[in-house]
Amino acid sequence: MKPHRTPLASVRILNGAHELSVHGLKRRDDSFTLHYTIAPRLPDTADDLPVLLALEAMDDVGNEYFDWGGAYGAAGDGTHTNGSISAQPALAAKACEIRVRLSFLLNGEEHPCHLMLRTSATKS
């Protein structure tokens, strides 16, 4: 991901210590994927406990979506974390917005955040 792109959404996470920016929402036939950056980077799992991430979402037509996995890692320059997380099922064709709840688990403590994202659909 290109950190200089204007994000679709940004929010402070982990007690305000980091900023999560969503840079992409990619639709697939059976799922969708959010691409994000977190700055400063998340702790290195070699030195610290990992940060676990889970996703739940609901669209504006009432469909629910559930975590289907993801991955993240430090950017080459070490300034931020790049990641992606997917959910199933595929986004409904008529959905215009999706309310996303991302839950970060760090040291046994849950740190949720909420985002509203526009999809590429338009109301008819």
XYZ file of all heavy atoms in Angstrom, residues 7-10 22-27 32-34 58-61 91-100 115-124:
280
model
N -6.640 8.067 2.530
C -7.322 6.857 2.995
C -8.840 6.964 2.850
O -9.410 8.056 2.827
C -6.913 6.763 4.459
C -6.503 8.126 4.853
C -6.018 8.812 3.617
N -9.490 5.807 2.774
C -10.951 5.745 2.775
C -11.483 6.101 4.157
O -12.567 6.649 4.288
C -11.419 4.343 2.394
C -10.965 3.800 1.038
C -11.410 2.356 0.866
C -11.483 4.669 -0.081
N -10.716 5.757 5.194
C -11.071 6.054 6.582
C -9.820 5.960 7.434
O -8.906 5.201 7.116
C -12.116 5.068 7.086
N -9.792 6.738 8.520
C -8.688 6.686 9.490
C -9.261 6.802 10.889
O -10.262 7.496 11.105
C -7.694 7.831 9.270
O -6.996 7.664 8.075
N -7.431 2.895 6.374
C -7.886 1.925 5.381
C -7.692 2.555 4.010
O -8.203 3.641 3.732
C -9.355 1.533 5.603
C -9.839 0.589 4.502
C -9.530 0.891 6.974
N -6.935 1.874 3.153
C -6.599 2.400 1.830
C -7.330 1.702 0.699
O -7.301 2.182 -0.432
C -5.090 2.302 1.590
C -4.300 3.136 2.535
N -4.147 4.485 2.377
C -3.651 2.809 3.674
C -3.421 4.967 3.367
N -3.108 3.973 4.173
N -7.953 0.580 0.978
C -8.640 -0.121 -0.098
C -9.686 -1.082 0.409
O -9.566 -1.643 1.497
N -10.738 -1.229 -0.377
C -11.796 -2.201 -0.128
C -11.970 -2.954 -1.440
O -12.433 -2.392 -2.426
C -13.095 -1.505 0.267
C -14.357 -2.368 0.343
C -14.221 -3.419 1.430
C -15.563 -1.492 0.607
N -11.524 -4.198 -1.454
C -11.552 -4.985 -2.688
C -12.619 -6.067 -2.594
O -12.602 -6.886 -1.681
C -10.191 -5.618 -2.948
C -10.174 -6.414 -4.223
C -8.783 -6.735 -4.665
C -8.885 -7.516 -5.959
N -8.008 -7.098 -6.958
N -13.519 -6.039 -3.554
C -14.573 -7.060 -3.642
C -14.027 -8.295 -4.348
O -13.285 -8.187 -5.307
C -15.754 -6.534 -4.446
C -16.553 -5.464 -3.768
C -17.620 -4.951 -4.733
N -18.456 -3.951 -4.130
C -19.684 -4.182 -3.666
N -20.209 -5.378 -3.758
N -20.379 -3.201 -3.128
N -14.640 -10.054 0.752
C -14.048 -8.748 0.477
C -12.843 -8.576 1.384
O -12.729 -9.243 2.418
C -15.050 -7.601 0.638
C -15.521 -7.369 2.049
C -14.862 -6.492 2.896
C -16.649 -8.026 2.522
C -15.302 -6.274 4.190
C -17.104 -7.814 3.821
C -16.434 -6.941 4.648
N -11.931 -7.706 0.984
C -10.693 -7.500 1.735
C -10.456 -6.023 1.966
O -10.602 -5.215 1.047
C -9.498 -8.098 0.966
O -9.734 -9.497 0.760
C -8.193 -7.920 1.729
N -10.101 -5.672 3.197
C -9.665 -4.318 3.538
C -8.142 -4.303 3.541
O -7.512 -5.193 4.125
C -10.152 -3.913 4.923
C -11.650 -3.867 5.165
C -11.924 -3.433 6.598
C -12.327 -2.945 4.183
N -21.475 -5.040 9.088
C -22.859 -5.091 8.639
C -23.030 -4.009 7.589
O -22.520 -2.895 7.741
C -23.834 -4.870 9.791
C -25.297 -4.922 9.343
S -26.461 -4.746 10.693
C -26.437 -6.420 11.320
N -23.737 -4.329 6.518
C -23.956 -3.326 5.482
C -25.283 -2.601 5.705
O -26.037 -2.934 6.622
C -23.849 -3.936 4.076
C -24.924 -4.958 3.762
O -26.047 -4.857 4.305
O -24.648 -5.865 2.951
N -25.545 -1.614 4.869
C -26.736 -0.780 5.017
C -28.024 -1.456 4.548
O -29.099 -0.872 4.681
C -26.538 0.561 4.315
C -26.193 0.428 2.847
O -25.739 -0.645 2.422
O -26.371 1.419 2.121
N -27.937 -2.674 4.052
C -29.149 -3.424 3.703
C -29.367 -4.603 4.659
O -30.227 -5.441 4.429
C -29.167 -3.872 2.212
C -29.318 -2.677 1.301
C -27.942 -4.668 1.847
N -19.599 -8.963 -0.470
C -20.464 -7.809 -0.229
C -21.697 -7.889 -1.118
O -21.602 -8.223 -2.305
C -19.725 -6.510 -0.531
C -18.770 -6.002 0.528
C -17.990 -4.809 0.007
C -19.513 -5.638 1.799
N -22.839 -7.577 -0.546
C -24.086 -7.563 -1.310
C -24.000 -6.511 -2.414
O -23.468 -5.417 -2.204
C -25.256 -7.264 -0.391
N -24.517 -6.834 -3.576
C -24.462 -5.930 -4.723
C -25.142 -4.595 -4.438
O -24.705 -3.557 -4.933
C -25.100 -6.599 -5.933
N -26.193 -4.596 -3.609
C -26.945 -3.367 -3.329
C -26.389 -2.571 -2.148
O -26.877 -1.491 -1.844
C -28.414 -3.683 -3.086
C -29.112 -4.197 -4.321
C -30.583 -4.415 -4.059
C -31.247 -4.904 -5.334
N -32.695 -5.040 -5.157
N -25.383 -3.091 -1.471
C -24.817 -2.398 -0.305
C -24.051 -1.160 -0.750
O -23.227 -1.221 -1.653
C -23.891 -3.326 0.464
N -24.356 -0.019 -0.115
C -23.665 1.241 -0.400
C -22.664 1.605 0.691
O -21.700 2.309 0.431
C -24.666 2.372 -0.552
S -25.761 2.163 -1.956
N -22.931 1.152 1.911
C -22.048 1.423 3.045
C -21.897 0.155 3.867
O -22.792 -0.680 3.901
C -22.624 2.505 3.952
C -22.687 3.860 3.329
C -23.253 4.895 4.285
O -24.057 4.545 5.179
O -22.889 6.064 4.122
N -20.761 0.072 4.519
C -20.515 -1.051 5.418
C -19.941 -0.506 6.720
O -19.043 0.323 6.713
C -19.604 -2.114 4.756
C -19.500 -3.353 5.639
C -18.260 -1.552 4.389
C -18.964 -4.560 4.940
N -20.556 -0.931 7.837
C -20.073 -0.560 9.170
C -19.164 -1.685 9.648
O -19.607 -2.818 9.791
C -21.249 -0.368 10.123
C -22.082 0.852 9.791
C -23.261 1.038 10.738
N -24.176 -0.097 10.815
C -25.152 -0.360 9.939
N -25.336 0.409 8.907
N -25.928 -1.410 10.112
N -17.909 -1.355 9.879
C -16.892 -2.347 10.223
C -16.479 -2.173 11.679
O -16.223 -1.055 12.130
C -15.654 -2.197 9.303
C -14.564 -3.179 9.703
C -16.045 -2.363 7.849
N -15.554 1.714 11.943
C -15.375 2.484 10.713
C -16.639 2.378 9.858
O -17.305 1.345 9.865
C -14.216 1.925 9.879
C -12.856 1.825 10.522
C -11.951 0.936 9.680
C -12.259 3.208 10.656
N -16.929 3.432 9.119
C -17.986 3.398 8.120
C -17.294 3.574 6.779
O -16.561 4.560 6.578
C -18.992 4.519 8.348
C -20.082 4.566 7.289
S -21.236 3.198 7.383
C -22.230 3.705 8.765
N -17.486 2.630 5.866
C -16.850 2.677 4.561
C -17.900 2.677 3.461
O -18.888 1.938 3.554
C -15.919 1.481 4.366
C -14.778 1.340 5.355
C -14.069 0.009 5.144
C -13.802 2.489 5.200
N -17.697 3.469 2.449
C -18.539 3.454 1.262
C -18.080 2.302 0.367
O -16.903 2.033 0.274
C -18.422 4.759 0.480
C -18.816 5.997 1.240
C -20.272 6.310 1.269
N -20.849 6.349 -0.074
C -22.120 6.070 -0.313
N -22.924 5.750 0.659
N -22.594 6.122 -1.531
N -19.037 1.631 -0.261
C -18.698 0.628 -1.249
C -18.887 1.274 -2.613
O -19.324 2.410 -2.719
C -19.604 -0.623 -1.123
O -20.924 -0.258 -1.506
C -19.589 -1.178 0.292
N -18.604 0.552 -3.668
C -18.747 1.130 -5.006
C -20.175 1.058 -5.524
O -20.473 1.555 -6.597
C -17.795 0.434 -5.984
O -18.081 -0.952 -6.002
N -21.091 0.460 -4.766
C -22.493 0.353 -5.196
C -23.180 1.717 -5.070
O -22.769 2.564 -4.286
C -23.231 -0.679 -4.350
N -24.224 1.909 -5.815
C -25.036 3.118 -5.707
C -26.482 2.705 -5.506
O -26.915 1.661 -6.013
C -24.939 4.004 -6.963
O -25.299 3.209 -8.101
C -23.542 4.545 -7.141
N -27.205 3.477 -4.740
C -28.626 3.159 -4.487
C -29.410 3.340 -5.772
O -29.180 4.273 -6.515
C -29.186 4.038 -3.377
C -28.610 3.713 -2.022
C -29.508 4.191 -0.936
C -28.880 3.995 0.408
N -29.202 2.789 1.055
N -30.371 2.424 -6.017
C -31.187 2.547 -7.227
C -32.545 3.138 -6.928
O -32.954 3.287 -5.836
C -31.355 1.184 -7.878
O -31.661 0.187 -6.938
